[in-house]
């Protein structure tokens, strides 16, 4: 068992912040897709809690934290409410939302990796689950909204890679017995800053080598949107 | 542990009825989507059992009831068979199907909330899982059929709200130690009647406030269908 | 507990082969959908491990094998790498890939049924989970790629039926106490050969009876692609 990284109340507050900003991104997509207020609330909940729920099911932590902590459940509802009434304003500060979302990404990849390791998974599996915790909610959000997950698309700025870096750093710290609040914080900040840089400079991952040979632009309008 | 609400055989019969009507709705969508008979059977199974399967995974009731009770597994196959041969007739009695589906909604939100509480979840989490039990199968059905879940769309009559009311009533009854077969039945009937009224008078939930400011009608044909 | 069917190393090698060929099919779809290299890796992982992950969650085998065996995790990455650089060549040998995929189908339906039974599920549930193990990854692949699962479509050669036959044979062998490496092998080969024949002669399942009466060709371009 690892030592407690942060004091419980600090960790809980960080979790709630991450949940809140992820919920905002889900609610904003729901508004764009023209969903009703319940659809907005559902998409906010799924986006905010989906990644952690998947992790908890995989490591056998049932009932998952998403269902045992009232704060985890209520926070996305507040985010949904905010978006329902203030979405033009929220969209106008989209950059701010993106910054918070990047912060959520950093927090979740670190917390996810740590929790998976505490439940006895190996290092590589813990890092993989940390990544899944960070990006899983967004994938579920896009699947429910009937869109190609933005995680998979080549025309989006790097999102998985920063989380991968953060999760890997945590796994390495565990491996070398150096996981402290400080190193955890550095890993989270590293993921956060990498994501900010990816957005600022539009870093993108390459596609398959020599792609033209198989181009079958099935959905040009989506693929190039 | 709560007292047994209904005699086991009554509860089991109610479950099978709910499973059957949900399976009909899955099979009908599969026919409309032009799936083959195996696709029809798969969609019937997923629609009927998906919500309960999700609930059982979350509360740690493994293997889930969907896989331990032969009746749960076989009932959707009968529904699929019926739809394969009689779908024009079944569609003609769509209103009847909708009434049964509303009954399934009422039964499942009550049974789901009760089971989650029996497995040790808190009241709010139990109600949330009761809702998920009732609507989860339909969401999976629409995701597999590659459609925006009808649960989330603003142009559909209220579906989640009746289930929410039923689940909340059960949670309140548990809270005030008043859960009896009678009060459970009232909660189920309440959800059932609310859903019928929503269909009859086309009750719909509002969308986000002041929506025009962000209108990006990405999929007008779907959104207004 | 069943006797070990094959020596552990043989079983492990068979598993890795199945994982590899499923990963290839996921990576190829990702290339066609124009995903970036990380999307290709994610889709390879999901396709290869999704079916077994679902089975392990249902039977309560947590953490699932997909997260405890480094080889299971790394193999799809190799497949993704191969496809990224050699996808024109891999597509040219699509027939070869399909043959391997059929082999994976045969191996997974047998291994899935056996493992589910070992975890205490009944015979029909074990066979159903064997089927889910074999086809689940492909369904998740198509859902993530925002396509109608090819499993459900009438215009695709039989895929579920061979796996169903293999899983049912294993269940029958268990029922009559005749499960040996030989009979398991026969079941796997049977599923394999049936799938090859279905591809060779374009065996397809019928659609709903008298379908014209409800034709609502919502998505002609997809439905007839």
């Amino acid at each position: 068992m690892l030592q407690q990284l942060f004091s419980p109340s600090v960790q809980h507050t960080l979790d709630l912040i991450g949940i809140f900003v992820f919920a905002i991104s889900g609610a904003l997509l729901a508004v764009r897709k023209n969903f009703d207020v319940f659809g907005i609330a559902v998409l906010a909940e799924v986006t905010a809690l989906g990644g952690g729920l998947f992790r908890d099911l995989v490591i056998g932590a049932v009932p998952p934290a998403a269902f045992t902590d009232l704060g985890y459940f209520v926070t996305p509802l507040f985010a949904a409410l905010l978006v329902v009434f203030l979405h033009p304003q929220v969209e106008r500060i989209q950059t701010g939302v993106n910054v918070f979302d990047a912060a959520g990404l950093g927090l979740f990849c670190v917390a996810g990796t740590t929790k998976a390791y505490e439940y006895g998974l190996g290092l590589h599996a813990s890092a993989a689950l940390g990544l899944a915790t960070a990006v899983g909610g967004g994938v579920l959000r896009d699947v429910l909204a009937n869109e190609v997950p933005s995680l998979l698309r080549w025309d989006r700025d790097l999102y998985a890679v920063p989380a991968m870096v953060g999760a890997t750093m945590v796994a390495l710290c565990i491996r070398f017995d150096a996981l402290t609040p400080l190193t955890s914080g550095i890993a989270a900040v590293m993921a956060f800053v990498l994501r900010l840089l990816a957005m600022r400079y539009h870093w993108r991952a390459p596609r398959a080598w020599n792609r033209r040979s198989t181009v079958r632009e099935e959905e040009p309008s989506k693929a190039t949107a």
Side-chain angles (χ1 to χ4, degrees), chain A:
Chain A
M1 184 61 68
L2 300 167
Q3 63 179 109
Q4 190 70 37
L5 286 178
F6 305 102
S7 78
S9 64
V10 172
Q11 180 65 48
H12 196 245
T13 306
L14 292 174
D15 281 353
L16 290 182
I17 292 174
I19 285 172
F20 184 79
V21 290
F22 279 162
I24 293 279
S25 90
L28 282 175
L29 180 60
V31 170
R32 277 189 214 120
K33 298 288 286 192
N34 213 1
F35 293 169
D36 67 21
V37 291
F38 296 103
I40 294 170
V42 168
L43 215 59
E45 293 277 358
V46 166
T47 309
L49 304 176
L53 185 60
F54 174 73
R55 177 203 58 206
D56 289 349
L57 290 180
V58 164
I59 63 179
V62 291
F67 282 97
T68 55
D69 186 315
L70 189 55
Y72 286 10
F73 182 76
V74 172
T75 301
L77 298 181
F78 277 112
L81 206 67
L82 202 75
V83 168
V84 164
F85 286 103
L86 299 174
H87 57 98
Q89 286 81 349
V90 175
E91 292 216 336
R92 211 169 296 139
I93 56 164
Q94 181 72 51
T95 310
V97 172
N98 282 341
V99 171
F100 277 102
D101 182 81
L105 192 73
L107 293 168
F108 274 39
C109 71
V110 171
T113 306
T114 310
K115 182 166 184 184
Y117 185 76
E118 281 174 356
Y119 273 78
L121 270 74
L123 287 176
H124 83 276
S126 298
L129 269 180
L131 173 63
T133 306
V135 305
V139 170
L140 279 176
R141 174 197 66 206
D142 295 341
V143 166
L144 283 187
N146 202 13
E147 304 212 322
V148 173
S150 103
L151 179 75
L152 305 176
R153 295 172 56 167
W154 74 275
D155 56 347
R156 298 293 163 93
D157 305 329
L158 287 185
Y159 194 88
V161 176
M164 231 178 267
V165 169
T168 307
M169 275 187 64
V170 173
L172 287 175
C173 287
I174 295 174
R175 171 70 184 76
F176 294 108
D177 216 6
L179 193 70
T180 64
L182 180 67
T183 54
S184 293
I186 292 175
V189 169
M190 180 77 97
F192 172 58
V193 170
L194 276 178
R195 170 65 184 154
L196 290 185
L197 289 172
M199 288 193 292
R200 175 73 185 75
Y201 297 105
H202 296 299
W203 289 344
R204 286 175 185 175
R207 283 174 287 169
W209 186 257
N210 193 22
R211 225 197 133 274
R212 69 185 180 282
S213 56
T214 56
V215 170
R216 276 174 40 192
E217 296 291 352
E218 298 186 359
E219 299 174 291
S221 63
K222 281 188 179 177
T224 63

